[in-house]
Amino acid sequence: MTALLEVRNLNSWYGESHILHGVDMNVGEGETVTILGRNGVGKTTTLRTVTGIVRARKGEIRFAGKDMMQVPLHRTAHHGIGFVPEERGIFSTLNVLENLMLPPEVAKGGMTLDEIFELFPNLHERRNSPGTRLSGGEQQMLAIARILRTGTRLLLLDEPTEGLAPVIVQRIGEVLKTLKQRGMTVLLVEQNFRFASRVADRFYLMEHGQMVAEFKVGELPERMDMLHKVLGV
Amino acid sequence: DASDGKVKIGILNDQSGVYADFGGKSSVEAAKMAVEDFGGKVLGVPVEIVDADHQNKADIASNIARQWFDTDQVDAIMELTTSSVALAVQAIAKEKKKIDIVTGAATTELTGKQCSPYGFHWAYDTHALAVGTGGALVKQGGDSWFFLTADYAFGYSLEQQTGDFVKSAGGNVVGSVRHPLATTDFSSFLLQAQSSGAKVIGLANAGADTQNAIKQAAEFGITQGGQRLAALLFTLAEVHGLGLEAAQGLTLTEGFYWNRDEESQKFGKRFFERTGKMPNMIHTGTYSAVLQYLKAIDKAGTDETEAVAKQLHELPVDDVFAKGGSVGPNGRMFHDMYLLEVKKPGDSKEPWDYFNVLATIPGKEAYIDPAKSGCELVK
Amino acid sequence: MTNATAHINEESRVVLSARGLRRDFGGFTAVRDVDLDVHHARVHALIGPNGAGKTTVFNLLTKFLQPSAGTINLLGTDITRTPPDKVARMGLVRSFQISAVFPHLTVLDNVRVALQRPNGLAHQFWRPLAALDTLNERAEQLLASVGLAKERDIVAADLSYGRKRVLEIATTLALDPKVLLLDEPMAGMGQEDVSVIADLIREVARTRAVLMVEHNLSVVANICHHVTVLQRGEILAEGNYETVSNDPRVRVAYMGTEEA
Amino acid sequence: MTMIFGVPLQALLGQLLIGLINGSFYALLSLGLAIIFGLLRMINFAHGAQYMLGAFVAYLLLTFLGIGYWPALILAPLIVGILGAIVERLFLRRLYDLDPLYGLLFTFGLALTIEGTFRYLYGSSGQPYATPSALSGGTNLGFMFMPIYRGWVVVVSLVVCIGTWLLIEKTKLGAYLRAATENSTLVQAFGVNVPVLLTFTYGLGVALAAFAGVLAAPVYQVSPLMGSNIIIVVFAVVVVGGMGSIMGAILTGYMLGIAEGLTKVFYPEASNIVIFVIMAIVLLIRPAGLFGRDA
Amino acid sequence: MAHSTTTTTTPAPSAAAASGTAAVARTVLIAIGLILLILAPFFLYPVFLMKILCFALFACAFNLLLGYTGLLSFGHATFFGGAAYFTAHAVKEWGFSPELGILTGVLGAAVLGLIMGFFAIRRQGIYFAMITLALSQMFFFFCLQAGFTHGEDGIQSVPRGRLFGFIDLSQSLNMYYLVLAVFIIGLLIIWRFINSPFGMILKSIRENEARAVSLGYSVARYKLGAFVMSAALAGLAGGVKSLVFQFATLTDVTWQMSGEVILMTLLGGIGTLIGPLVGAGLVVTLGNYLATTGFPVTIITGIVFMVCVLLFRRGIVGEFYASRIGRKLGFEYRR
Ligand SMILES: Nc1ncnc2c1ncn2[C@@H]1O[C@H](COP(=O)(O)OP(=O)(O)OP(=O)(O)O)[C@@H](O)[C@H]1O
Ligand SMILES: Nc1ncnc2c1ncn2[C@@H]1O[C@H](COP(=O)(O)OP(=O)(O)OP(=O)(O)O)[C@@H](O)[C@H]1O
Ligand SMILES: [Mg+2]
Ligand SMILES: [Mg+2]
């Protein structure tokens, strides 16, 4: 499998605090990869650095072979990286439809509105209400759907299940499986281990701003001890 | 002889604020012209002009005044735009026994309750403006008045004094409306003035307020409708800013007009060459004040305050600004004032040719009789 | 679950109750006809799908929002029209869905600020700061009880997320509240902190009433004596965890097919 | 004649109309202020100075290049807007991450500098600017003499206000603007060049102020100080209207203009504080303002 | 887990010893400052110095609000200029003694503070700034129209009188030491105020208002308290100023004056105790200096404002505190 995203020795800072201390990681085309880790180890920061929201000062980010280190934030999307933040970022002054239509299309092959509404019937039903009037789960669906329309190649999802009702978590799991069948590449950050283990192909375990372990879904049983120690699951 | 080897005159006025055009830097030029015309020296010592921008703040002005008197050997301070500044500095000058000659401020208090034996008021005051515009205009047929008055003490006193002269000259005041300071839109008030049917609309306000009122009066066709506008405190500088198109037909009172006779024209041209504008009564008043001060020193043979003040009170004033002027015991300088009307754009023959002189008001009529001024120096 | 039942029998005094609670936002009704009874010495969970109105109910109970209709009664007093700070002084204290500490104060100062008012040291602008040292003993006790003693001089901003939540609970306890409202205390928390906080809540609830919003069903199952399920602003079901979790309507609306 | 509170109905109608004209300026200015605040989270204290700049640029175009009112109506806002955009690019953008108070203080300094400079160069008594000949004169409406230029001001300001509202509420650009207000990083991550958008917005807000300035030039004296007092009134308008709604800013502008106009009839002495009084009352009843969302 | 990501400054082992010498150094600095202030009138112009001290106290009062509660008032001229009017009127028209006159000014300013605060503290941030600005503009119009202020003339020739009946204040030096004493007392009051239990609550409100409410503090009252305190101290400065200059004029109630005090604070260092003194000294000196150069003050003021905001937001004293020497002396700048 060719690596769609390659990250080497990535270092990031927030002001004066050094957060990422040399992150190494690959995500192959069509793969679903999950980063696990305790609070504050830098998972979100990793995604934000890949997107370009946080500027890395050292290291290498290659996407589809291209060097992304110097690409300004508003250009990364055009290369095919779509980011869904932890707090979802639904715009309250825009209605559902406007929210959906907001990100510019960056490549052909994005989903059409019809396809999106087929995948998320709730959104169709509420297409005219203001974005933040949706329930938390619907907002999460909207956040994912919004990116799918742009034809993005890599989807970065930050804790899509946080604070969601169990029933919604299940829905989102199903959606991720559907996307996978369509060949979408996903990099996921998740605290909810149960959920992650159902959707991911491969895992990274993060500690202190570095990846400390990597394993495939098949190796999970033998890794449980370590995970228990680090994550308490 | 001069105490410290030179005579120093301070011009303290607003050089960057709302009154900067009124006097400002150009007044400093006028003062310098006076020194040159006097010959640059008095009693054999050089005369020096210093100046400062008081930014319309009385505390800055009084700081500078004290410093000038105490450490910089300044002998007299002149111009002093804005009443609060003039009153504050006059109080300091009085305390320090130094001379001040006010040309920039309008308040009659300077030669009234707050008069000083060393303080003089030169170019104009609210009373003279009221007599000039109010009294004289009635004689020109403007016998019914409506006032647009700025809603504070200055406006009230202008309105009241003017109204009194209108009445004493046989006219009547049909109404008035008080507008807040810094009103931008005068149309409501102008409509009221228009419907009052008064022959004259008196603008008892100043600065930007007067300008906006005049400009909008033109827009509402007030003067075309046969009503006359009279601005109570307005000078050549503001007319220039407004443009003849908007200002035509306006009546006002000044103590000086450059295009009045040959002498004034000559002065005006010289002043224009140095400053790029024609002088108004403040500029010329400051010129006159400096000149008179030097004459007084010359006559007294010393720059010692008491002696100079005595001469200033006694010497007649005769220069381009004032013909046959005299100074009262309260420090008020009596000189003629002129009732002026702004020309139509077509009638103006050259740049800055703005006024027709409607009438001349003799100094004795224009200013308060010292005996009635409330000044305790008058016995 | 066994000791939970025991508690209920021992003491079932209602300390906080709401009747017919309603809140409209413009044309939208976020909460309607909610009746709620919170009992002394019990942990009461408020669960429900996202947007069901849980946080809104909290805001209404603590008077951060004014109800459009309904009444609220705290310890026998009607507080429907009482301002929020007064409500807090009466003994109803809340935590926030997003962590709420005073970030640039030290851990100790965070707790001392909470202690100032109950100890009458809140408005003395003429006394030196040293006057507050009398609170140190109590503050340190509180910190020790939640396991923050070692961090007492650290600035709160430097604490990790989980420790911040712990500090927040310590601050809340400093007021010695009669009723404690916790909004998703475990949200976004790593597994290892979850159990610490769960134990702490259980401990705290021995002597006071706790009402909490939580999506983590295993926590709800473990420490809550009573569960109210909210949906679309209305109460869908009520009872102990077992009853509620077996209710088919709750499963459809909230839990899905998963087991806790 | 019908009388209302001792004032003839006709006079009242006249005053209402006049109030509407004042309101036009308030609306244009508070609209610009609201747009800038909405997106940049910054109170543009230089708004008054930029309004003055609009009038002055029109005057300068006329005196030095002979460019008249009509082209100036487009050119002056464009020039001032571009100047604004440059200021945003060079300076304001460094302040976005800070407390919004710093933006306020910076633009306060900017206002002082602009006004000071013009006062230094052009004096304080201002410059003349004549009404364009096509719009001079007036018509008698029966109840009042209506200068044609004033009617034009009302009409054109309404058109511009509504146009701006449509631009922001109904277009894709507007959607970007609104979204960027809420979360600019995210919009940027979606591939929108938000920095350019911010520059554009500031330029637009400033251009609106300058547009109001050009409109004002024939009515008010073109003076370096013309914007320094109006800005405070416009602040009060904004507090009354409440931030967060473009339409709110526009409507409040017109409403308060009319309220002020009526005060001039019934109690002229209070006409300059009536807006502040209304502000105080609104604050008591609705702290978020008439159209503001709850903070 | 935080240790890898956030850099917590752990105190060095010798911190106690170092802070000991730093405390000595700071005491020495304060002593030198005091001696300079006591000796200053023998070298510099007393009225000029008094003006600086009055403005410095005014700026300190303003800073109490901005620096310690985070509220930017754009209407503080109301209290400063208002108190100047009250004091001047009380002393001149009612024949009050100077100390009673100043007290009148302070009380008047406090009442004005109560009224303005009542409306303004309902909103925060820039709204607060705009509301205070608008209300102070209202007060300006009041002063302009009210009879006792004498409009543009101002209240002139205010007698300085005798302090406590026997110290003749018309002597410059006597007046100077009164102003100095008032300034130091004002500073001590502020220092006590911010380092008190009340100040602690203020600090916590600034950090997290909602949390303070949930702990049972009526935030509005604390803010109002701080606002009134700040107004009263600004009034103290204004009252004294009217005695120093012997007049009270409209200038001190204009919104430009509110802007000036912000500039002083910003320039000196927001949230530092003596920053405002430095800022006031600079601004007053600059105003006086520029007056004779013919260069417009507003342009310079505006540029200083912009430069401060862009380049050194901590202000002069703040930058010093944050510098290496400042830190060595045990100062700390946090905002
Ligand atoms: N904007 C910021 N400024 C400064 N420090 C930050 C900022 N955002 C996060 N941090 C710090 O960076 C570290 C890593 O944060 P990050 O959000 O990447 O963690 P995470 O692994 O996503 O944690 P969580 O599971 O809680 O979301 C944390 O210590 C956090 O306190
Ligand atoms: N200030 C407000 N204005 C308008 N609508 C609001 C407001 N606050 C909340 N709502 C709406 O009320 C509903 C209930 O919101 P609430 O925050 O109480 O939900 P919740 O049950 O706490 O959800 P979650 O589990 O996601 O936190 C939501 O639809 C929300 O959009
Ligand atoms: Mg995260
Ligand atoms: Mg919630």
Side-chain angles (χ1 to χ4, degrees):
Chain A
M1 202 183 301
T2 51
L4 181 64
L5 176 73
E6 284 178 83
V7 173
R8 296 278 161 270
N9 189 29
L10 200 61
N11 281 268
S12 292
W13 278 261
Y14 282 116
E16 287 177 9
S17 41
H18 194 174
I19 308 291
L20 298 187
H21 302 257
V23 169
D24 291 305
M25 131 185 116
N26 307 317
V27 181
E29 183 99 54
E31 227 187 345
T32 300
V33 173
T34 299
I35 304 176
L36 300 170
R38 296 156 58 133
N39 291 119
V41 295
K43 303 182 297 293
T44 300
T45 312
T46 306
L47 295 195
R48 289 163 70 91
T49 311
V50 168
T51 320
I53 294 174
V54 175
R55 284 267 137 218
R57 294 202 203 148
K58 216 166 83 187
E60 196 183 335
I61 305 171
R62 292 195 153 271
F63 181 72
K66 273 190 284 295
D67 177 17
M68 300 295 291
M69 287 296 282
Q70 298 309 321
V71 176
L73 173 56
H74 61 91
R75 296 295 308 165
T76 46
H78 294 269
H79 287 85
I81 298 180
F83 176 54
V84 178
E86 211 166 353
E87 66 287 349
R88 300 172 196 136
I90 302 302
F91 299 108
S92 62
T93 43
L94 309 184
N95 66 25
V96 170
L97 210 54
E98 286 172 316
N99 262 295
L100 266 178
M101 303 292 288
L102 185 83
E105 236 171 276
V106 294
K108 293 225 164 56
M111 287 189 175
T112 62
L113 277 187
D114 288 341
E115 283 175 304
I116 283 175
F117 287 142
E118 198 185 325
L119 199 58
F120 302 103
N122 301 33
L123 295 186
H124 183 253
E125 194 184 313
R126 310 214 47 186
R127 65 189 174 280
N128 286 322
S129 45
T132 40
R133 285 289 162 75
L134 298 188
S135 83
E138 287 166 334
Q139 288 189 24
Q140 190 66 57
M141 293 176 207
L142 176 56
I144 297 173
R146 187 165 61 176
I147 287 296
L148 298 179
R149 207 185 57 80
T150 63
T152 199
R153 290 174 73 186
L154 171 66
L155 190 55
L156 308 180
L157 287 174
D158 197 354
E159 307 210 17
T161 64
E162 186 194 322
L164 292 189
V167 66
I168 310 274
V169 173
Q170 275 180 342
R171 281 292 322 270
I172 290 182
E174 285 155 23
V175 168
L176 284 186
K177 282 191 186 139
T178 318
L179 288 177
K180 192 176 162 66
Q181 280 158 17
R182 301 187 180 194
M184 176 74 94
T185 312
V186 178
L187 178 56
L188 183 70
V189 164
E190 216 12 288
Q191 289 277 2
N192 184 338
F193 179 72
R194 192 198 304 266
F195 172 79
S197 60
R198 271 202 315 248
V199 296
D201 301 319
R202 207 150 54 81
F203 297 89
Y204 283 100
L205 181 63
M206 195 167 190
E207 260 190 279
H208 300 336
Q210 279 174 327
M211 298 303 171
V212 293
E214 183 211 335
F215 48 90
K216 296 218 162 59
V217 67
E219 302 168 35
L220 258 185
E222 45 207 270
R223 298 284 184 156
M224 278 319 281
D225 264 3
M226 177 190 67
L227 289 181
H228 185 75
K229 232 173 50 218
V230 177
L231 301 177
V233 292
Chain B
D1 51 17
S3 51
D4 43 27
K6 64 179 152 197
V7 168
K8 226 177 186 180
I9 300 169
I11 304 294
L12 185 54
N13 62 7
D14 175 15
Q15 300 176 359
S16 57
V18 281
Y19 302 113
D21 283 359
F22 210 52
K25 273 279 178 200
S26 314
S27 279
V28 181
E29 272 317 302
K32 288 184 177 152
M33 282 168 71
V35 174
E36 285 161 27
D37 290 356
F38 193 77
K41 284 185 172 212
V42 64
L43 304 178
V45 301
V47 182
E48 195 186 325
I49 299 286
V50 291
D51 70 284
D53 177 9
H54 62 51
Q55 300 148 43
N56 289 321
K57 293 178 184 168
D59 51 3
I60 291 197
S62 66
N63 237 333
I64 293 170
R66 281 171 203 272
Q67 212 142 331
W68 273 356
F69 288 145
D70 288 352
T71 59
D72 298 349
Q73 281 98 35
V74 167
D75 299 286
I77 296 183
M78 304 192 190
E79 181 128 346
L80 298 170
T81 345
T82 313
S83 327
S84 57
V85 167
L87 291 167
V89 173
Q90 179 153 305
I92 292 168
K94 184 173 173 183
E95 175 198 323
K96 308 249 173 211
K97 292 205 170 22
K98 298 279 182 182
I99 300 224
D100 68 281
I101 308 183
V102 179
T103 56
T107 180
T108 47
E109 286 276 296
L110 284 164
T111 50
K113 275 207 210 68
Q114 308 197 35
C115 68
S116 148
Y118 320 115
F120 299 87
H121 200 182
W122 221 250
Y124 73 104
D125 64 18
T126 48
H127 187 268
L129 298 174
V131 176
T133 313
L137 206 54
V138 176
K139 290 183 196 131
Q140 307 270 324
D143 54 4
S144 62
W145 282 63
F146 185 94
F147 283 103
L148 253 63
T149 306
D151 190 23
Y152 65 104
F154 167 78
Y156 308 154
S157 74
L158 264 187
E159 178 194 325
Q160 189 228 329
Q161 291 180 5
T162 312
D164 288 349
F165 288 110
V166 167
K167 281 177 219 147
S168 67
N172 66 320
V173 177
V174 299
S176 77
V177 58
R178 289 187 170 172
H179 70 80
L181 180 73
T183 296
T184 46
D185 192 75
F186 282 86
S187 34
S188 298
F189 308 128
L190 289 168
L191 285 183
Q192 292 179 43
Q194 199 169 27
S195 59
S196 76
K199 288 186 186 156
V200 181
I201 300 171
L203 304 176
N205 45 23
D209 282 351
T210 317
Q211 283 182 319
N212 279 328
I214 296 169
K215 196 160 179 175
Q216 288 161 27
E219 198 188 346
F220 279 84
I222 299 250
T223 35
Q224 285 95 309
Q227 283 172 307
R228 217 179 225 288
L229 270 188
L232 292 168
L233 176 52
F234 213 60
T235 73
L236 187 76
E238 287 84 43
V239 172
H240 180 70
L242 207 49
L244 287 188
E245 187 63 47
Q248 54 183 302
L250 177 75
T251 315
L252 56 91
T253 299
E254 268 213 75
F256 179 79
Y257 176 44
W258 72 273
N259 209 1
R260 195 183 76 239
D261 58 30
E262 216 169 294
E263 191 188 356
S264 62
Q265 281 165 350
K266 232 176 82 203
F267 178 78
K269 299 245 159 77
R270 277 175 60 210
F271 184 84
F272 185 83
E273 272 160 29
R274 299 173 73 130
T275 62
K277 48 181 133 177
M278 284 295 179
N280 63 8
M281 64 175 164
I282 318 294
H283 302 126
T284 322
T286 300
Y287 170 86
S288 164
V290 172
L291 201 60
Q292 190 71 9
Y293 175 65
L294 295 178
K295 286 179 186 166
I297 291 178
D298 195 39
K299 187 84 190 289
T302 169
D303 66 354
E304 191 273 319
T305 302
E306 294 282 357
V308 177
K310 185 162 176 287
Q311 289 303 327
L312 277 172
H313 277 111
E314 286 171 3
L315 277 179
V317 186
D318 241 319
D319 53 30
V320 63
F321 180 69
K323 292 269 164 288
S326 65
V327 176
N330 57 349
R332 177 67 249 173
M333 200 270 272
F334 291 83
H335 60 98
D336 293 351
M337 297 291 288
Y338 305 98
L339 183 67
L340 306 165
E341 184 188 44
V342 178
K343 292 183 172 174
K344 291 199 172 57
D347 299 344
S348 170
K349 292 191 205 56
E350 55 182 315
W352 297 89
D353 173 30
Y354 291 161
F355 296 140
N356 291 317
V357 179
L358 294 184
T360 303
I361 304 109
K364 291 289 169 223
E365 275 175 40
Y367 293 100
I368 301 178
D369 178 358
K372 293 184 190 141
S373 66
C375 171
E376 55 195 13
L377 298 169
V378 188
K379 273 140 232 137
Chain C
M1 290 295 258
T2 43
N3 64 346
T5 349
H7 260 295
I8 294 171
N9 295 338
E10 257 173 46
E11 188 153 13
S12 55
R13 187 155 55 87
V14 175
V15 285
L16 173 68
S17 77
R19 288 289 169 270
L21 213 52
R22 177 190 178 96
R23 171 70 199 204
D24 304 312
F25 290 114
F28 172 78
T29 306
V31 169
R32 78 177 86 213
D33 293 332
V34 166
D35 297 341
L36 204 63
D37 285 315
V38 181
H39 296 256
H40 179 69
R42 278 209 228 163
V43 181
H44 187 150
L46 189 59
I47 63 173
N50 303 99
K54 304 180 293 294
T55 302
T56 309
V57 167
F58 264 38
N59 284 333
L60 292 173
L61 292 176
T62 50
K63 306 312 308 304
F64 273 63
L65 281 175
Q66 188 58 32
S68 309
T71 58
I72 306 167
N73 191 299
L74 173 66
L75 300 163
T77 319
D78 187 347
I79 57 163
T80 314
R81 301 259 149 227
T82 314
D85 49 304
K86 179 99 183 284
V87 169
R89 289 198 288 275
M90 291 170 67
L92 174 63
V93 180
R94 72 177 294 184
S95 74
F96 287 83
Q97 194 165 350
I98 31 165
S99 127
V101 292
F102 302 115
H104 293 111
L105 303 188
T106 62
V107 168
L108 185 71
D109 277 343
N110 261 278
V111 179
R112 287 209 313 195
V113 165
L115 285 171
Q116 271 180 258
R117 191 185 45 76
N119 291 287
L121 275 171
H123 53 265
Q124 282 83 347
F125 60 81
W126 57 90
R127 292 189 62 181
L129 217 44
L132 297 180
D133 288 346
T134 55
L135 305 176
N136 285 3
E137 196 186 323
R138 175 78 187 116
E140 274 161 19
Q141 251 174 29
L142 280 164
L143 287 178
S145 76
V146 297
L148 269 173
K150 265 194 294 194
E151 284 102 330
R152 66 164 255 181
D153 290 323
I154 292 181
V155 174
D158 290 346
L159 290 180
S160 74
Y161 185 80
R163 309 301 289 168
K164 275 186 200 150
R165 307 270 350 194
V166 173
L167 171 60
E168 199 190 332
I169 290 175
T171 325
T172 310
L173 292 179
L175 301 181
D176 195 17
K178 314 247 174 11
V179 187
L180 199 55
L181 267 52
L182 305 171
D183 197 353
E184 302 201 27
M186 327 280 189
M189 207 179 265
Q191 199 59 46
E192 78 283 6
D193 284 325
V194 168
S195 42
V196 175
I197 303 282
D199 288 343
L200 185 63
I201 292 173
R202 211 199 314 256
E203 180 58 35
V204 160
R206 285 188 196 289
T207 49
R208 44 179 70 83
V210 172
L211 176 66
M212 64 190 273
V213 171
E214 188 48 64
H215 284 306
N216 191 328
L217 289 184
S218 54
V219 171
V220 174
N222 279 332
I223 65 169
C224 298
H225 307 102
H226 190 86
V227 178
T228 300
V229 185
L230 218 56
Q231 193 204 5
R232 289 174 193 270
E234 286 174 294
I235 292 178
L236 179 69
E238 226 176 327
N240 62 20
Y241 182 74
E242 221 132 315
T243 331
V244 167
S245 62
N246 287 324
D247 187 325
R249 288 174 309 162
V250 176
R251 299 198 77 88
V252 170
Y254 182 65
M255 293 185 180
T257 54
E258 230 177 314
E259 280 307 317
Chain D
M1 207 189 299
T2 328
M3 304 282 278
I4 294 178
F5 302 123
V7 175
L9 176 65
Q10 300 196 323
L12 207 60
L13 280 176
Q15 300 297 352
L16 274 177
L17 203 59
I18 281 169
L20 206 58
I21 294 161
N22 257 343
S24 304
F25 289 107
Y26 292 156
L28 278 173
L29 288 172
S30 63
L31 172 64
L33 212 55
I35 290 176
I36 293 175
F37 178 81
L39 192 55
L40 280 57
R41 293 287 131 188
M42 191 192 74
I43 285 294
N44 184 30
F45 213 116
H47 215 67
Q50 284 149 345
Y51 159 79
M52 175 273 283
L53 217 50
F56 248 100
V57 168
Y59 161 79
L60 294 176
L61 285 174
L62 183 68
T63 6
F64 292 108
L65 301 173
I67 295 175
Y69 176 83
W70 296 106
L73 208 51
I74 309 289
L75 278 178
L78 201 66
I79 294 170
V80 180
I82 289 172
L83 287 178
I86 293 173
V87 167
E88 195 277 341
R89 266 257 128 115
L90 292 181
F91 306 119
L92 294 179
R93 96 168 12 172
R94 293 154 200 265
L95 304 176
Y96 292 150
D97 295 336
L98 306 172
D99 192 311
L101 297 177
Y102 287 109
L104 178 93
L105 294 179
F106 180 87
T107 48
F108 177 65
L110 183 65
L112 290 183
T113 313
I114 297 176
E115 279 171 1
T117 308
F118 272 78
R119 217 148 59 176
Y120 188 57
L121 296 176
Y122 294 96
S124 49
S125 58
Q127 307 294 336
Y129 195 89
T131 312
S133 54
L135 298 175
S136 58
T139 49
N140 204 327
L141 296 182
F143 56 88
M144 71 175 280
F145 177 86
M146 174 78 173
I148 293 176
Y149 187 78
R150 302 219 163 205
W152 155 251
V153 168
V154 174
V155 173
V156 78
S157 77
L158 263 178
V159 170
V160 169
C161 282
I162 291 172
T164 313
W165 177 74
L166 286 175
L167 174 76
I168 288 180
E169 296 291 329
K170 301 290 169 211
T171 64
K172 183 99 185 184
L173 176 72
Y176 288 156
L177 284 174
R178 280 177 288 147
T181 310
E182 290 183 48
N183 186 343
S184 83
T185 321
L186 187 59
V187 174
Q188 213 163 340
F190 286 159
V192 178
N193 193 340
V194 174
V196 167
L197 209 60
L198 293 177
T199 309
F200 168 80
T201 311
Y202 188 73
L204 175 68
V206 170
L208 280 170
F211 182 77
V214 184
L215 279 187
V219 183
Y220 306 138
Q221 182 70 347
V222 179
S223 126
L225 296 172
M226 65 193 281
S228 70
N229 282 320
I230 198 169
I231 184 71
I232 301 178
V233 178
V234 174
F235 279 173
V237 172
V238 163
V239 173
V240 172
M243 290 292 195
S245 143
I246 300 287
M247 207 28 135
I250 299 172
L251 289 179
T252 317
Y254 284 110
M255 268 164 28
L256 292 187
I258 290 172
E260 196 187 54
L262 291 181
T263 320
K264 282 179 179 163
V265 185
F266 293 110
Y267 189 46
E269 289 90 337
S271 61
N272 57 343
I273 55 165
V274 65
I275 289 185
F276 301 133
V277 173
I278 293 177
M279 180 190 83
I281 295 170
V282 168
L283 277 176
L284 286 180
I285 300 167
R286 271 188 70 103
L290 294 180
F291 299 91
R293 303 201 186 90
D294 275 293
Chain E
M1 53 184 148
H3 64 267
S4 66
T5 49
T6 46
T7 45
T8 36
T9 44
T10 40
S14 63
S19 77
T21 48
V24 172
R26 282 200 312 255
T27 318
V28 169
L29 266 181
I30 292 172
I32 293 176
L34 256 179
I35 292 170
L36 282 181
L37 282 175
I38 290 172
L39 294 181
F42 298 102
F43 304 100
L44 287 166
Y45 213 64
V47 175
F48 176 68
L49 289 172
M50 288 190 259
K51 182 173 173 186
I52 291 182
L53 287 178
C54 288
F55 274 104
L57 181 56
F58 179 26
C60 287
F62 168 80
N63 194 27
L64 169 66
L65 200 63
L66 176 60
Y68 299 95
T69 66
L71 294 170
L72 172 72
S73 159
F74 226 113
H76 255 50
T78 294
F79 314 125
F80 183 69
Y85 274 127
F86 299 145
T87 302
H89 187 75
V91 171
K92 188 175 180 194
E93 304 294 331
W94 298 337
F96 277 25
S97 62
E99 62 278 4
L100 274 183
I102 293 173
L103 193 67
T104 312
V106 171
L107 288 179
V111 170
L112 287 175
L114 199 63
I115 297 169
M116 189 187 283
F118 175 75
F119 289 99
I121 54 161
R122 288 160 182 266
R123 304 302 307 272
Q124 288 150 7
I126 23 199
Y127 280 101
F128 180 85
M130 297 203 298
I131 292 164
T132 47
L133 178 58
L135 292 176
S136 78
Q137 187 72 350
M138 237 169 119
F139 184 71
F140 168 79
F141 282 117
F142 166 77
C143 288
L144 181 71
Q145 290 169 3
F148 83 100
T149 61
H150 298 279
E152 283 205 325
D153 294 356
I155 305 180
Q156 299 279 353
S157 308
V158 178
R160 281 184 183 170
R162 285 169 178 276
L163 185 67
F164 307 124
F166 64 93
I167 302 173
D168 182 7
L169 292 180
S170 60
Q171 300 293 316
S172 276
L173 278 187
N174 288 352
M175 190 71 212
Y176 176 79
Y177 289 115
L178 170 66
V179 176
L180 184 61
V182 166
F183 173 73
I184 291 172
I185 291 169
L187 221 54
L188 288 177
I189 292 176
I190 292 173
W191 190 78
R192 163 55 64 242
F193 190 76
I194 55 189
N195 291 299
S196 71
F198 188 95
M200 195 67 195
I201 307 295
L202 279 183
K203 207 184 285 179
S204 65
I205 289 173
R206 203 186 127 191
E207 294 261 301
N208 191 336
E209 184 166 331
R211 183 56 177 159
V213 173
S214 77
L215 292 180
Y217 294 107
S218 41
V219 166
R221 264 191 235 164
Y222 283 88
K223 283 187 178 171
L224 192 59
F227 195 83
V228 171
M229 185 57 140
S230 171
L233 286 167
L236 179 62
V240 173
K241 188 196 169 212
S242 74
L243 288 186
V244 170
F245 283 98
Q246 303 186 276
F247 54 70
T249 64
L250 282 172
T251 322
D252 290 348
V253 290
T254 56
W255 62 267
Q256 285 88 348
M257 179 57 67
S258 302
E260 211 156 284
V261 76
I262 296 173
L263 178 66
M264 291 172 187
T265 311
L266 187 65
L267 191 61
I270 297 171
T272 61
L273 200 57
I274 63 152
L277 175 62
V278 176
L282 277 176
V283 170
V284 170
T285 313
L286 195 73
N288 261 27
Y289 171 72
L290 287 176
T292 51
T293 62
F295 200 80
V297 185
T298 36
I299 300 185
I300 301 285
T301 313
I303 291 175
V304 173
F305 244 109
M306 293 192 287
V307 169
C308 269
V309 170
L310 284 176
L311 298 181
F312 53 112
R313 277 179 284 280
R314 295 169 180 150
I316 294 169
V317 173
E319 292 291 345
F320 170 72
Y321 282 4
S323 73
R324 200 177 299 154
I325 303 173
R327 279 206 302 263
K328 258 200 198 126
L329 287 175
F331 291 114
E332 183 183 14
Y333 188 82
R334 181 168 256 161
R335 243 189 88 64

